[in-house]
C-alpha cells in the first residue's frame, strides 16, 4: 500500500470537499480520490459547444448551508449568487401564464388572475410552509439519533424532538401533512386553481420518480423550499460561473488546508481487514491505506459495487438491496442563438431569468409519470428551463444564450429490455418538441446540445439509476433511516467506514450538510470534541 492517511474520501463532489475541509482544518491528513478528471461531482461547469458553458447536472443554488459558506470563506474566493427576480414562470394551456415570486403582494396579484380565494389564503400557506421549513433548517446540520446506541439515541432524539414539541397543534398537523400526504392532497386543502397548485406542486416531482398523487410527495416539495440565497429564505439563484465555480472554490480551500485530491482515480473496492475498513483499491491497482474510509457516493454504488458482500452484515446487505434509487431525470443543455419567444409572453423579460416550468397542472404531471411507468418515458414530459446566461454573460457568446433543461419523467430502466443508449436521441427530441409547443422557433435556435438520460447520468457521475438524490426521498429513507435504520448517523456497518453523501441525512441537493455532519461524527469518534449532551 501507499502511505496511510487519517481519512480517505471517495468522490470529490461538494459533500466530499466539505467533509475534507472540516477534517483537514481539525488537523487530519486527508486525501480525496475522484473517478473523473475534474472535481465537483454533479456540480460542475463544462463547455459543451464552442463558446458555450453551463452547469452539467446540478444547475441552481438555494440549499447550500450558510454555515458551510461562512466556514469555508467561499465568498472571499469568488463565490457569488445572483437571485432570481421571480421564482417561476408557468405558461398555461389556454395561452395565459402565472408568475410566482417577487414578493407576497406581486404573487397575490398573479393569483387573483386565477382565484381571488387563493390569493387571500396565500399568506397563511406561506406561514405554514415556513414553520415546517424552519424545523428542517434546524435539523439539517444535526446528526440524526442513530437507533441502537442506547442512551445516546434517547438523548439525541429528545434534543432534536424539542423543536417539534414546541410547535402548536396546528403546526404539528402541518408537519404531519407535509411528511405523509401526497402533494395534491396537501395542495387541494389550500388552493382551488389548477395553475396555482401546479406552481407549488412542481417541486414535489423534482428528482422524484413519482406522481404528485404519490403519498409522501409533499415532503419532496418541502425539501426544495428550506434553503436560502444571500440571507433570503426560500430564494433560488444562479452561481456566477455555474455550479462548477462553487466546487472549484471548495477544492482550492481544501488544498489550502493540505487536502490531497487525486483525479482520474476510480475506486474498485473498499478494503476490509478484520471487520474494519482499512483503505481502498483503485481500478489501476494502487492500494491506499487509511484509518477511516469516507464514501461520498450513493449507498447503492458503495455497498453493491465497491464492497464484497461477505464484508457486510447479512441483514444490512438485504436492506441495501431494497434501498430505492432512481429519480426519473433526463438532463439537457442547449446552446441558443436567441432567447425563446413564448407564445404567452414573447418579449424578453424577468420570466427569462426565472425557473420556466412547462407543466401547467398536477394532472399533466400525473400523466407524465403514468406514461413513463408504462412506456419508459413521457411523450409530454415535465420540463424546467433555466437560462443562466441572462444574468451571467460569461457562459455564452454575445447575444447568444445557454439553457438548462431539467426534465421528468423518464424511467431509470426502460421496460422490455430496451436501452437508453438507443432511445436517448428520441427522448431529447420529445423534450425539445415540448418546449417548441410553448415557444415556437425554439428548435431552430439550437446550435448545440448535450443530453444525459438516467443511464447517462449514472455513467458520467456514478448516480445509480440516474438518481440525483442518491436515493429516493421517501419517508422510509429519511432522517435516522437514511440510508438504513441503525446506520443513519453517517457511520457504515463496518468499523472505520463512514458516509458523507446525499444518501445520508438530510438528503439531496447542493447543501453541504451531509459532508459537514459526517465530519463532526468522525471528529467525535476520534475524540477531538465531545457531543453537547455530555
Amino acid at each position: 500500500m501507499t502511505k496511510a492517511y487519517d481519512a480517505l474520501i471517495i468522490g470529490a463532489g461538494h459533500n466530499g470537499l466539505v467533509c475534507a475541509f472540516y477534517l483537514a482544518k481539525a488537523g487530519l491528513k486527508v486525501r480525496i480520490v475522484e473517478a473523473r478528471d475534474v472535481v465537483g461531482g454533479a456540480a460542475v461547469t463544462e463547455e459543451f459547444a464552442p463558446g458555450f458553458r453551463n452547469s452539467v447536472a446540478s444547475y441552481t443554488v438555494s440549499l447550500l448551508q450558510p454555515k458551510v459558506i461562512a466556514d469555508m470563506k467561499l465568498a472571499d474566493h469568488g463565490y457569488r449568487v445572483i437571485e432570481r427576480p421571480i421564482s417561476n414562470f408557468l405558461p398555461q394551456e389556454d395561452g395565459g401564464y402565472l408568475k410566482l415570486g417577487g414578493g407576497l403582494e406581486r404573487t397575490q396579484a398573479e393569483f387573483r388572475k386565477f382565484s381571488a380565494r387563493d390569493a387571500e389564503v396565500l399568506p397563511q400557506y406561506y406561514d405554514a410552509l415556513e414553520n415546517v421549513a424552519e424545523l428542517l433548517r434546524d435539523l439539517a446540520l444535526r446528526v440524526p439519533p442513530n437507533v441502537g446506541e442506547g442512551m445516546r439515541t434517547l438523548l439525541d432524539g429528545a434534543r432534536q424532538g424539542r423543536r417539534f414539541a414546541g410547535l402548536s397543534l396546528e403546526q404539528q398537523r402541518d408537519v404531519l401533512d407535509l411528511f405523509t400526504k401526497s402533494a395534491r392532497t396537501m395542495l387541494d386543502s389550500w388552493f382551488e386553481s389548477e395553475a396555482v397548485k401546479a406552481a407549488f406542486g412542481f417541486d414535489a416531482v423534482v428528482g422524484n420518480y413519482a406522481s404528485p398523487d404519490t403519498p409522501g410527495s409533499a415532503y419532496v416539495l418541502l425539501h426544495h423550499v428550506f434553503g436560502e440565497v444571500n440571507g433570503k429564505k426560500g430564494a433560488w439563484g444562479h452561481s456566477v460561473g455555474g455550479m462548477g465555480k462553487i466546487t472549484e472554490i471548495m477544492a482550492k480551500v481544501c488544498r489550502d488546508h493540505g487536502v490531497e485530491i487525486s483525479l482520474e482515480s476510480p475506486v474498485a473496492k473498499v478494503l476490509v481487514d478484520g471487520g474494519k475498513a482499512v483503505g481502498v483499491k483503485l481500478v489501476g491497482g494502487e492500494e491506499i491505506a487509511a484509518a477511516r474510509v469516507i464514501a461520498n457516493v450513493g449507498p447503492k454504488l458503495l455497498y453493491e459495487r465497491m464492497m464484497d458482500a461477505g464484508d457486510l452484515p447479512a441483514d444490512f446487505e438485504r436492506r441495501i438491496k431494497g434501498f430505492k434509487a432512481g429519480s426519473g431525470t433526463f438532463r439537457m443543455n442547449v446552446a441558443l442563438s436567441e432567447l425563446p419567444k413564448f407564445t404567452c409572453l414573447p418579449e424578453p423579460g424577468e420570466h427569462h431569468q426565472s425557473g420556466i416550468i412547462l407543466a401547467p397542472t398536477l394532472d399533466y404531471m400525473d400523466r407524465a409519470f403514468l406514461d413513463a411507468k408504462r412506456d419508459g418515458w413521457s411523450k409530454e414530459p415535465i420540463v424546467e428551463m433555466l437560462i443562466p446566461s441572462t444574468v451571467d454573460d460569461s457562459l455564452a457568446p454575445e447575444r447568444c444564450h445557454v439553457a438548462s433543461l431539467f426534465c421528468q419523467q423518464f424511467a431509470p430502466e426502460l421496460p422490455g429490455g430496451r436501452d437508453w443508449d438507443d432511445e436517448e436521441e428520441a427522448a431529447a427530441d420529445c423534450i425539445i418538441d415540448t418546449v417548441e409547443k410553448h415557444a415556437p422557433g425554439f428548435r431552430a435556435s439550437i446550435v448545440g446540445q448535450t443530453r444525459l438520460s438516467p443511464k447517462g447520468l449514472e455513467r458520467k457521475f456514478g448516480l445509480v439509476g440516474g438518481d440525483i438524490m442518491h436515493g429516493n426521498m421517501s419517508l422510509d429513507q429519511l432522517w435516522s433511516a437514511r440510508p438504513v435504520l441503525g446506520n443513519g448517523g453517517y457511520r457504515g456497518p463496518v468499523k472505520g467506514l463512514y458516509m458523507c453523501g446525499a444518501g445520508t441525512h438530510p438528503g439531496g441537493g447542493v447543501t453541504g450538510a451531509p459532508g459537514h455532519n459526517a465530519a463532526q461524527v468522525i471528529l467525535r469518534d476520534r475524540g477531538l470534541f465531545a457531543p453537547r449532551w455530555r
Side-chain angles (χ1 to χ4, degrees):
M1 287 189 176
T2 60
K3 60 183 180 180
Y5 294 83
D6 294 319
L8 184 101
I9 298 175
I10 304 172
H14 81 281
N15 276 312
L17 295 167
V18 169
C19 185
F21 161 75
Y22 285 108
L23 297 181
K25 187 178 180 182
L28 274 66
K29 184 180 179 182
V30 183
R31 181 173 174 182
I32 303 175
V33 288
E34 165 59 43
R36 299 189 67 219
D37 61 355
V38 62
V39 300
V44 289
T45 305
E46 295 179 2
E47 184 175 75
F48 66 97
F52 293 88
R53 301 166 57 248
N54 203 12
S55 305
V56 180
S58 174
Y59 59 100
T60 189
V61 184
S62 174
L63 303 178
L64 187 58
Q65 287 290 318
K67 183 178 187 298
V68 170
I69 296 170
D71 288 349
M72 297 188 77
K73 296 181 172 59
L74 300 184
D76 292 350
H77 297 275
Y79 172 76
R80 181 178 167 228
V81 176
I82 299 174
E83 301 162 41
R84 300 181 191 175
I86 57 173
S87 301
N88 291 328
F89 162 65
L90 286 83
Q92 293 297 298
E93 292 173 325
D94 63 1
Y97 62 84
L98 184 150
K99 291 180 181 180
L100 181 68
L104 175 61
E105 292 182 358
R106 279 199 62 188
T107 303
Q108 285 180 297
E110 280 288 307
F111 280 18
R112 287 190 189 98
K113 297 190 308 186
F114 298 89
S115 165
R117 177 186 173 277
D118 288 356
E120 182 181 346
V121 302
L122 181 62
Q124 289 77 41
Y125 174 78
Y126 277 161
D127 286 345
L129 212 61
E130 178 56 28
N131 285 329
V132 186
E134 193 60 34
L135 182 68
L136 290 188
R137 293 187 190 105
D138 182 62
L139 292 176
L141 292 182
R142 294 179 182 268
V143 177
N146 199 41
V147 175
E149 294 185 356
M151 185 58 70
R152 176 183 288 181
T153 301
L154 292 175
L155 292 172
D156 284 349
R159 187 177 69 249
Q160 295 187 32
R162 280 184 308 190
R163 181 64 180 267
F164 177 78
L167 298 177
S168 68
L169 178 60
E170 183 180 355
Q171 291 169 338
Q172 290 185 27
R173 287 169 174 164
D174 290 335
V175 172
L176 183 63
D177 286 351
L178 283 159
F179 272 77
T180 61
K181 289 184 176 180
S182 73
R184 188 194 296 269
T185 300
M186 193 272 293
L187 291 168
D188 279 348
S189 71
W190 283 96
F191 303 111
E192 60 186 14
S193 163
E194 293 304 315
V196 168
K197 286 184 278 190
F200 292 121
F202 166 74
D203 283 334
V205 298
V206 172
N208 189 19
Y209 187 51
S211 163
D213 293 329
T214 302
S217 56
Y219 172 77
V220 183
L221 178 160
L222 178 66
H223 182 78
H224 287 90
V225 302
F226 77 87
E228 62 181 77
V229 167
N230 301 331
K232 295 184 179 179
K233 293 178 179 179
W236 289 81
H238 167 72
S239 169
V240 176
M243 298 301 288
K245 184 65 175 179
I246 299 174
T247 49
E248 175 189 314
I249 292 170
M250 286 181 170
K252 181 185 184 304
V253 172
C254 284
R255 290 188 175 107
D256 289 346
H257 281 77
V259 177
E260 296 180 37
I261 303 177
S262 302
L263 303 177
E264 299 181 281
S265 301
V267 170
K269 181 181 178 182
V270 174
L271 300 174
V272 177
D273 185 21
K276 181 181 186 302
V278 296
V280 300
K281 181 177 182 178
L282 303 183
V283 170
E286 179 186 1
E287 294 185 353
I288 307 170
R292 50 197 59 78
V293 176
I294 307 150
N296 182 36
V297 295
K300 301 289 278 187
L301 181 58
L302 171 64
Y303 294 115
E304 293 187 350
R305 303 184 192 180
M306 291 183 175
M307 298 191 71
D308 290 337
D311 290 330
L312 298 171
D315 182 66
F316 182 89
E317 182 196 5
R318 178 178 67 83
R319 292 184 184 278
I320 282 295
K321 285 182 179 177
F323 183 79
K324 302 186 297 293
S327 60
T329 298
F330 195 110
R331 182 71 172 82
M332 293 185 69
N333 278 327
V334 291
L336 303 174
S337 61
E338 62 180 3
L339 283 174
K341 295 182 176 65
F342 293 94
T343 302
C344 61
L345 202 58
E347 297 304 315
E350 62 184 1
H351 59 294
H352 285 108
Q353 299 174 11
S354 72
I356 301 164
I357 311 300
L358 305 182
T361 64
L362 296 181
D363 283 344
Y364 180 103
M365 299 178 203
D366 180 49
R367 287 195 303 272
F369 173 64
L370 295 177
D371 287 351
K373 282 189 67 178
R374 183 186 63 245
D375 301 326
W377 43 279
S378 173
K379 301 305 184 289
E380 290 188 301
I382 301 163
V383 179
E384 180 183 22
M385 178 193 297
L386 264 72
I387 311 174
S389 51
T390 56
V391 296
D392 182 358
D393 60 12
S394 72
L395 299 177
E398 189 176 0
R399 291 188 295 276
C400 295
H401 290 278
V402 294
S404 302
L405 302 179
F406 177 88
C407 315
Q408 297 275 133
Q409 302 283 356
F410 298 81
E413 293 186 8
L414 291 171
R418 291 148 54 202
D419 193 307
W420 268 117
D421 286 342
D422 299 326
E423 302 198 24
E424 189 178 71
E425 183 176 356
D429 284 341
C430 177
I431 291 166
I432 293 169
D433 286 342
T434 300
V435 180
E436 182 80 14
K437 290 177 185 176
H438 295 276
F442 178 76
R443 180 181 290 277
S445 72
I446 296 174
V447 296
Q449 65 172 269
T450 60
R451 50 183 183 256
L452 289 168
S453 67
K455 181 178 179 180
L457 287 166
E458 177 170 338
R459 183 162 48 211
K460 190 177 182 75
F461 299 112
L463 301 172
V464 174
D467 197 322
I468 64 172
M469 306 287 193
H470 283 194
N472 291 11
M473 299 286 289
S474 50
L475 189 59
D476 60 321
Q477 295 186 177
L478 293 177
W479 201 40
S480 292
R482 190 167 184 86
V484 171
L485 196 68
N487 294 99
Y490 307 97
R491 300 179 187 90
V494 175
K495 188 177 180 181
L497 179 65
Y498 297 84
M499 298 167 282
C500 73
T504 60
H505 172 76
V510 178
T511 72
H516 168 280
N517 297 352
Q520 310 315 304
V521 170
I522 293 162
L523 295 176
R524 177 192 300 174
D525 288 352
R526 200 168 185 262
L528 294 185
F529 68 82
R532 292 178 187 173
W533 61 264
R534 288 182 185 169

